Structures are given as C-alpha cells and as structure tokens.
Amino acid sequence: MLALKNIHKSFNDHEILKGIDLKINKGDVVTIIGPSGTGKTTLLRCVNYLEKPDEGEIAFSDFQLNYQSVKRKDILRLRRRTAMVFQQYNLFKNKTAIENVMEAQIVVQKKSKKAAYEKSLEELNRVGLADKLDAYPSQLSGGQQQRVSIARALAMEPEIILFDEPTSALDPELVGEVLNVIDQIARSGVTILLVTHEMSFAQNISTKIVFMDQGKIVEEGPPSQIFNHSREKRTKEFLSHFNSNYTKITTAK
Amino acid sequence: MKMDFGYMIKILPGFISVLPLTLVVILCSGLFGFLLSVLVTGIRIKRVKIFSPLMELYISFTRSTPILLQMLLVYYGLPVVLSLIGININNWSGTLFAIATLVLHNGAFLSEILRPAYLAVDEGQKEAADSLGFTSFQKLTRIVFPQVLPVALPGLGNALIYLIQDTSILFIIGVVDIMGTANNLISNDFGSRQIDVFLTVALIYWAISYMADKFIKYFERKTARYHLENGLTR
Ligand SMILES: Nc1ncnc2c1ncn2[C@@H]1O[C@H](COP(=O)(O)OP(=O)(O)OP(=O)(O)O)[C@@H](O)[C@H]1O
Ligand SMILES: [Mg+2]
C-alpha cells in the first residue's frame, strides 16, 4: 500500500538517511526502533515532506512521487493522505479541542461545518475526550493534548498515521492513556508507522518492527523475531541495553 | 499675551477644512506602510537571497535616522533616483512625497513589530498545519495570522499614534495640512498669536490620537480571546 524506495537525506553534507527501503501494507502497524540520532524522526518527516529528501521515491497504490521532481500539488496530495502525530502535540493554540479537530476538515477537505463537527465529535469520543470539546490546549494535560492531536489525525481519514515518539514528552503517569488510545486504533485497522522507545508496547501492537541504526535499516521482521531471535548483533546489543532501562520504567509506573 | 478662546474658535474651521487631508495622509500611509511591512517581514522570514540583507539595511537605516531627514531625502532624492530609471515624478505634490516618506518609514518600523509576533507562533503549529495539507496561504490566514494579531496589536497601535504625530513635520515640504495651516496663520499674524494657534493644533492632534487609541483598544478587546487561550494574558 505504501512503499518507500531508496530515501536519502543529508543535513549540511552529513548523510542522515542512507537509502531507506520500506514496505507497509494496509492495516500494518510498523514500529521503528533504534538509537538516538539515527534518523527515525527524519525518516517520518520525509514521508510527510516536512523534510525534503535528497533522493528517493514514495509510492501509494495509485500515486507515486519522486522526491527529485516534486510539484507543490504533489506535496499537498501526499500530505492529505498521511497524518502526523508529533512528540510535542502541536495543537493550534487559539482553537478549542473540537475546533482543532474540525479545522483541517473544513479548510483542507472542504467539509461543511456540521459534517466536520459530527466527525470530530466521533473521533474525540474515540480518544475518550467527549467531555473536553470546548477546552483550549492550555487547559488540557499533555496526555489529553496528545489525544486531541490523535483525533485530529484520525478525522482526516488518512491512509497512514505517522507517530513520532507520541509519549516521550509526557509525564510517566500520562503515558498509559495515550498508549491505550494508540493500541485501540491500531486494532481497529488503521495503518500506522510509529517511532517509539516504549519497547514492550512496540512488541505488543506491531505487526512489524524495523530496527534502524546510523541511517540504515539493520533488520526488520515480526516482533517475535526482532525481540527474541534477532539475527543481527547490533539489534541484540541495542535491545539488551534497552531492556535494562525498561524494567526501571515499569517499576516506576 | 493671554489666551484668546474666541480666536481659537475663530480659526478652528480653517483647521477642520484641512483635516480630511491629514486623515487621508494617515490612512494611506498606515495602510500602504502596513502592506509594505508585511512584504518586508515575509522577505526577512523566508530569508530571500539578496533581498533579505537589503531589508535589514533598509530597516537599520530607517531606525537610525530622524524622520525629518528621511522626508527631506525622499523629497529631494526620490525624483533623482526614479529619473535614473526613466520615471518622472517632478509633478508630484508635497502630499505624495509626504505619503511616500511615511509609507517607507512605517514599512520598516512595522516589520520590527510583525516579525517577532510571527516568530512567537511556534514552529510546531505551522508544521502541524503543513502536515494536514494546508496550503501556505491557508496556514497563514487560518492559523498564523489570528495568533500574530493579538501579539502585534499593542505595537501596531503605538505605531499608529506615532504616525499621527509624525504628520506634524509635513509642512516643511509645503503640505498645507493642520501644521501647515498653523504655520500660515502664524506668519499672517507676524507671530503674535502663536500660543493660541499651537494650543488649538495640540487639541486637534489630541482628539485624533484619542480616537485612534479608542479604535485600537476596541480591536484589542475583540482579539483578547486569543490572548487568554495562548496564556499570554498580562
Ligand atoms: N534540521 C536539521 N538540521 C541539521 N541536522 C539535523 C536536523 N534534523 C535532524 N538533524 C540531525 O540528524 C540526525 C538524526 O536526527 P533524528 O531526529 O532523525 O534522530 P532520531 O532517530 O529521531 O533520534 P531520537 O531517538 O533522539 O529522536 C541527528 O544527528 C540530528 O542532529
Ligand atoms: Mg526522534
């Protein structure tokens, strides 16, 4: 359904992504893991064209885009099929929760106010925020803001939702509520590309795990393979380092 | 010499009759100065090659020289510069030069208000709009501008008040506005009633500024909602 081909990206002559190929099928939950600074965020941002790759291609079943010759129209088309959930939520601060969810439906999808309102109500319900419709972002907790931003992404009915460490800006006690929401939408068949450091969560919800290191995909496969029978030394090293950290977090919860 | 209210009332109609001219100068300079400043701000924010450093130069110059000097430079210099590219403005009236000066002056000054206000809207919100498929224009009008406005408004309000006061130097290049009229009155009377004349002018400027201030405050109240929700309330 979605294929990334040979994505390259450099910042100031320093190559961050060194040729990424990745296939994602409809309904897949693909989780990218890997050390800090490896280019996970950059890859996600490239998919959404928030970052312009130097080289490479993205292909949907009926639409394909070569990053070396993009037109403005293509960028908008790409963005309208993908939605991004940011680490810092990035809600529109001058709009209430429901207005945040409605805005792009009205502006981008040209829906009527009424249709947008109903859709937004449905999605806010889905993330458990039906009682916060009229709250402004400044009046919501981090976890609630992130759930609004997930509703905002869902409301666009994108072909894929990109999550970049959706819980890493949150206080530990708020992580659970956001993971629950992501878990639930993953199960409902939404296609997801996720970056996270929550390893047991990744193991739990993913159909595929991608381990990235130094701008390259080192290994990919079902969670059972990556977490229990990894073929690559670097993957094992990374995970072993991580497991020791993770127990600390679980006891803290 | 004592104050003569009768005289002040007697000369008032003379001022009222040139009031429209002063208001037109203020409105045109304010409006076109604002539009110019939006353009200048856009160039600076987008870091347009060559133009962006030029804008910094233009702003630095405008902020660092007296407006009276700027007006004289425009009055004597602009015709020369434009004649180089084949445009003849020798038949321009003083009023047009006055407006040109104030537009250039405000184009620079307002940009110093708009740019920080734009930067106050965090990059994350702009990226969120991008990622949802907003066009640049939709992003600007729906997300950025409503948040820039309340931040910029107090500064823009002050700038309007300064603009009103700045019109008081236009008589120097022969514009017969409020100050110009005052000047004529004084020279007709050989300077015998200066205090009455200047006091009348002061009251008129006060009245205009007062109304401008009310207008701005009304606008600020209308956009106060965004202040509150941005957590910017002071
Ligand atoms: N706009 C930019 N300009 C210059 N360098 C950048 C930019 N964005 C990212 N980088 C660099 O690219 C590298 C990869 O960054 P990226 O954020 O993609 O890593 P990551 O895998 O998401 O890391 P983390 O797990 O810490 O979020 C880093 O070295 C970073 O400093
Ligand atoms: Mg990252």
Side-chain angles (χ1 to χ4, degrees):
Chain A
M1 183 212 88
L2 172 79
L4 299 174
K5 287 177 205 156
N6 197 28
I7 306 284
H8 285 265
K9 173 72 187 170
S10 302
F11 289 116
N12 324 318
D13 292 335
H14 184 53
E15 193 167 39
I16 302 298
L17 298 179
K18 302 169 182 164
I20 301 284
D21 293 276
L22 186 63
K23 273 205 176 59
I24 300 170
N25 294 317
K26 196 168 173 6
D28 269 359
V29 178
V30 176
T31 301
I32 304 176
I33 59 172
S36 186
T38 244
K40 305 181 297 293
T41 297
T42 308
L43 178 62
L44 240 58
R45 290 169 60 84
C46 282
V47 174
N48 205 235
Y49 212 84
L50 289 174
E51 221 66 78
K52 183 189 182 318
D54 305 320
E55 200 184 321
E57 248 177 62
I58 182 166
F60 290 87
S61 42
D62 60 334
F63 160 64
Q64 133 170 9
L65 189 154
N66 189 316
Y67 285 117
Q68 269 160 329
S69 57
V70 267
K71 294 184 207 70
R72 233 173 58 99
K73 210 180 70 201
D74 292 331
I75 299 172
L76 292 182
R77 194 164 169 200
L78 174 65
R79 286 177 173 163
R80 284 165 194 186
R81 287 165 168 243
T82 57
M84 182 99 165
V85 173
F86 298 87
Q87 195 173 332
Q88 303 292 343
Y89 341 125
N90 295 350
L91 293 181
F92 304 133
K93 293 200 176 107
N94 60 329
K95 299 191 181 298
T96 62
I98 191 144
E99 286 169 350
N100 261 280
V101 184
M102 289 167 67
E103 183 70 10
Q105 296 178 65
I106 295 169
V107 176
V108 176
Q109 298 182 329
K110 313 283 178 212
K111 281 196 198 169
S112 73
K113 254 196 157 156
K114 186 162 173 289
Y117 185 89
E118 274 158 17
K119 178 76 180 161
S120 305
L121 201 60
E122 186 189 317
E123 299 302 348
L124 282 171
N125 228 335
R126 194 163 163 192
V127 300
L129 285 174
D131 57 335
K132 295 285 181 193
L133 302 183
D134 298 321
Y136 283 90
S138 60
Q139 299 164 326
L140 295 172
S141 74
Q144 290 168 334
Q145 290 188 57
Q146 191 59 296
R147 286 188 281 150
V148 174
S149 101
I150 293 172
R152 179 173 71 178
L154 283 169
M156 302 302 284
E157 301 185 334
E159 289 178 37
I160 184 166
I161 303 187
L162 313 163
F163 289 87
D164 186 17
E165 299 195 33
T167 57
S168 47
L170 295 174
D171 291 340
E173 73 269 21
L174 301 177
V175 169
E177 64 185 65
V178 172
L179 292 185
N180 282 340
V181 165
I182 299 174
D183 189 358
Q184 169 217 321
I185 62 178
R187 278 171 217 288
S188 73
V190 176
T191 311
I192 288 176
L193 180 59
L194 167 77
V195 173
T196 186
H197 288 298
E198 301 280 340
M199 289 302 153
S200 70
F201 178 68
Q203 190 166 8
N204 221 298
I205 70 156
S206 309
T207 53
K208 177 153 97 179
I209 303 279
V210 174
F211 174 63
M212 254 179 88
D213 190 21
Q214 297 181 6
K216 278 192 171 144
I217 293 180
V218 176
E219 189 176 2
E220 58 180 275
S224 58
Q225 177 198 322
I226 303 291
F227 284 99
N228 305 324
H229 315 286
S230 158
R231 298 188 195 113
E232 298 288 331
K233 201 166 140 255
R234 267 193 286 167
T235 316
K236 283 183 197 149
E237 261 169 26
F238 172 74
L239 287 172
S240 69
H241 164 76
F242 220 98
N243 282 339
S244 60
N245 276 346
Y246 188 65
T247 34
K248 273 187 218 146
I249 297 169
T250 36
T251 44
K253 257 191 221 170
Chain B
M1 191 160 69
K2 60 182 177 53
M3 264 168 55
D4 182 345
F5 285 109
Y7 178 71
M8 284 169 69
I9 293 194
K10 201 182 114 210
I11 60 176
L12 200 55
F15 287 115
I16 303 285
S17 70
V18 296
L19 195 58
L21 176 65
T22 299
L23 292 180
V24 164
V25 170
I26 291 169
L27 280 179
C28 288
S29 312
L31 184 68
F32 292 111
F34 178 74
L35 293 178
L36 177 62
S37 77
V38 170
L39 185 72
V40 171
T41 308
I43 291 173
R44 295 171 79 196
I45 285 165
K46 293 245 158 167
R47 295 178 201 281
V48 182
K49 283 201 192 76
I50 305 167
F51 283 97
S52 188
L54 277 179
M55 292 304 114
E56 301 303 329
L57 205 68
Y58 154 56
I59 288 165
S60 170
F61 179 84
T62 308
R63 284 166 57 94
S64 319
T65 51
I67 185 162
L68 178 59
L69 191 66
Q70 290 167 17
M71 185 176 68
L72 293 173
L73 278 173
V74 167
Y75 188 63
Y76 293 110
L78 198 59
V80 179
V81 172
L82 289 184
S83 73
L84 290 181
I85 53 169
I87 300 173
N88 183 351
I89 55 167
N90 286 328
N91 56 348
W92 269 25
S93 67
T95 308
L96 281 177
F97 283 105
I99 292 174
T101 305
L102 292 170
V103 166
L104 287 172
H105 184 80
N106 278 285
F109 262 88
L110 300 188
S111 171
E112 287 289 274
I113 296 164
L114 292 182
R115 199 175 75 118
Y118 174 87
L119 295 176
V121 182
D122 60 299
E123 202 52 39
Q125 290 185 64
K126 297 167 195 163
E127 288 198 337
D130 284 336
S131 79
L132 288 162
F134 284 57
T135 63
S136 305
F137 182 76
Q138 289 168 336
K139 175 175 63 175
L140 216 57
T141 52
R142 302 285 304 209
I143 306 300
V144 177
F145 196 63
Q147 294 184 67
V148 166
L149 196 64
V151 180
L153 217 46
L156 292 180
N158 278 336
L160 178 60
I161 303 290
Y162 287 133
L163 169 63
I164 292 168
Q165 322 288 304
D166 283 343
T167 58
S168 64
I169 60 166
L170 305 184
F171 74 96
I172 291 177
I173 56 170
V175 179
V176 187
D177 62 345
I178 294 173
M179 260 324 237
T181 304
N183 231 36
N184 289 348
L185 279 170
I186 287 166
S187 48
N188 289 347
D189 282 355
F190 308 105
S192 58
R193 293 185 190 251
Q194 273 163 337
I195 293 187
D196 298 327
V197 173
F198 285 138
L199 205 54
T200 311
V201 171
L203 289 175
I204 293 171
Y205 268 108
W206 192 350
I208 300 174
S209 300
Y210 180 82
M211 283 185 291
D213 208 35
K214 282 279 165 229
F215 170 72
I216 297 155
K217 290 275 150 51
Y218 168 78
F219 234 68
E220 282 182 14
R221 266 201 311 280
K222 287 214 84 163
T223 52
R225 139 172 195 210
Y226 300 134
H227 265 283
L228 191 75
E229 271 57 72
N230 279 324
L232 291 172
T233 331
R234 268 152 282 195

